[in-house]
Amino acid sequence: MGWTLMIHGGAGSMRPGVLTEAEDQGARVGLTAALEAGAAILRDGGSALDAVEAAVRVLEDDPHFNAGRGSVYTWEGRIECDAAIMDGRGREAGAIAGVTATRHPVSLARAVMTQSPHVLLSSAGADAFSAHIGQEQVAQDWFATPERRRQLDEIKAHPDMPFDSAMKYGTVGAVAVDEAGHVAAATSTGGLTAKRWGRIGDSPLIGAGTYADDRAAAISCTGSGEHYIRLGLAHELCARLRLTDAGLDATADAMVDELTALGGKGGFITVTPKGEARWAFNTPGMYRGVVGQERPLKVAIYDED
Ligand code: ASP
């Protein structure tokens, strides 16, 4: 089936008419640019790992999405980014949480994987590692957008607002299978608006929001992170693919059912070494896109897209 790249830009309450025309079009342009960046690598015989990093870097720079520039604010009005990357070849992984000054958190996660003996670094230590190894540093102002400030003010005024009604934009992620049949996954996020007390979501937790295993699949999740952590959703999807005969479609549906049963909201994207690709979500919409050697480039936002 050749190479395939799938991306997401978050799941939430997006319905036609809820987004402005400018938001809708802006997100589609951003998703297309991210797909093109990753596809250029895969088309040249590059690795799934390089492709997912490249796609996520584009989305991190795009203020339409809650990652890098355009990240949501914490309760205190700061930006704290989480990200992870995983290589299905040897299940090597790197992740960072609560990082405040790195322009491309996904690349810092990759550096944790390749330039440190660890898998997950957090907060001040991760910031120090980032500066020490020469990752591009930016001021907090660089991440800031007026729309995220408005969302923080809104949620502070209505603290019981349900997850998906508060959320129109989210986390970003990419999964890919390359020509050689290796898979990789990456996820990057500002987390949840008004998060407090050093809260860390599922995105940087290997096995919760991000996982890649050449024996099964690569998966990147978006949604109410606490539920994904409780489910160990990303790893469980891969474990079910390895240990049962259910196949990708049934397994993806079963994982959405598990999420729904716990009261969780969101979705995920997944590809297998065989080249199967699937997205699934229980919210009204999910920013998403796919392109492959035998798949025309497609971006979508709403359920019915
Ligand atoms: N899953 C992310 C988190 O809980 C949020 C999102 O997907 O938008 O941090």
Side-chain angles (χ1 to χ4, degrees):
M1 237 187 243
W3 58 267
T4 293
L5 171 69
M6 192 173 256
I7 59 170
H8 71 75
S13 60
M14 298 83 72
R15 294 185 179 83
V18 170
L19 295 184
T20 66
E21 188 61 25
E23 287 170 339
D24 178 300
Q25 285 310 309
R28 288 176 197 270
V29 168
L31 291 168
T32 303
L35 284 172
E36 280 167 353
I41 290 168
L42 292 165
R43 207 176 281 125
D44 275 358
S47 71
L49 189 68
D50 286 343
V52 295
E53 182 187 4
V56 167
R57 282 173 66 98
V58 170
L59 296 169
E60 286 177 338
D61 271 352
D62 187 330
H64 289 94
F65 304 102
N66 170 22
R69 187 155 174 255
S71 285
V72 298
Y73 286 98
T74 65
W75 184 268
E76 293 80 14
R78 288 165 52 76
I79 306 282
E80 295 179 1
C81 298
D82 300 342
I85 193 163
M86 188 161 183
D87 187 343
R89 286 174 289 199
R91 277 168 286 151
E92 277 133 4
I96 51 91
V99 157
T100 62
T102 301
R103 176 170 173 183
H104 289 295
V106 70
S107 295
L108 180 57
R110 185 165 178 176
V112 172
M113 177 171 88
T114 56
Q115 297 179 48
S116 91
H118 307 299
V119 169
L120 174 60
L121 301 182
S122 73
S123 307
D127 280 337
F129 174 73
S130 179
H132 178 69
I133 62 166
Q135 284 283 313
E136 184 175 350
Q137 305 292 294
V138 288
Q140 281 264 303
D141 279 359
W142 191 85
F143 299 105
T145 55
E147 171 62 9
R148 298 300 185 210
R149 175 60 69 176
R150 189 198 63 70
Q151 288 172 352
L152 177 63
D153 293 344
E154 189 180 350
I155 212 161
K156 279 184 146 177
H158 307 97
D160 298 328
M161 191 182 286
F163 168 79
D164 66 338
S165 72
M167 198 179 120
K168 285 200 292 182
Y169 325 94
T171 296
V172 308
V175 293
V177 52
D178 58 30
E179 234 173 50
H182 299 302
V183 296
T187 313
S188 182
T189 187
L192 296 184
T193 303
K195 64 185 183 181
R196 298 178 89 169
W197 304 303
R199 181 263 187 194
I200 296 168
D202 59 309
S203 309
L205 301 186
I206 299 302
T210 307
Y211 205 72
D213 181 349
D214 269 6
R215 301 171 303 171
I219 170 170
S220 169
C221 302
T222 172
S224 51
E226 281 65 12
H227 296 102
Y228 287 77
I229 296 170
R230 288 162 57 200
L231 281 167
L233 194 146
H235 182 268
E236 180 155 340
L237 177 126
C238 290
R240 288 190 188 202
L241 287 174
R242 242 177 350 108
L243 303 173
T244 76
D245 296 326
L248 185 65
D249 284 339
T251 303
D253 289 342
M255 293 318 302
V256 173
D257 290 347
E258 295 266 359
L259 179 68
T260 306
L262 280 197
K265 296 272 168 98
F268 54 82
I269 52 173
T270 178
V271 298
T272 70
K274 283 184 279 183
E276 302 158 290
R278 175 71 201 267
W279 48 51
F281 50 98
N282 67 1
T283 42
M286 181 165 82
Y287 295 105
R288 59 203 189 275
V290 65
V291 63
Q293 198 166 324
E294 292 170 18
R295 286 188 172 88
L297 188 148
K298 174 184 166 77
V299 300
I301 301 178
Y302 315 111
D303 192 15
E304 57 276 17
D305 249 340

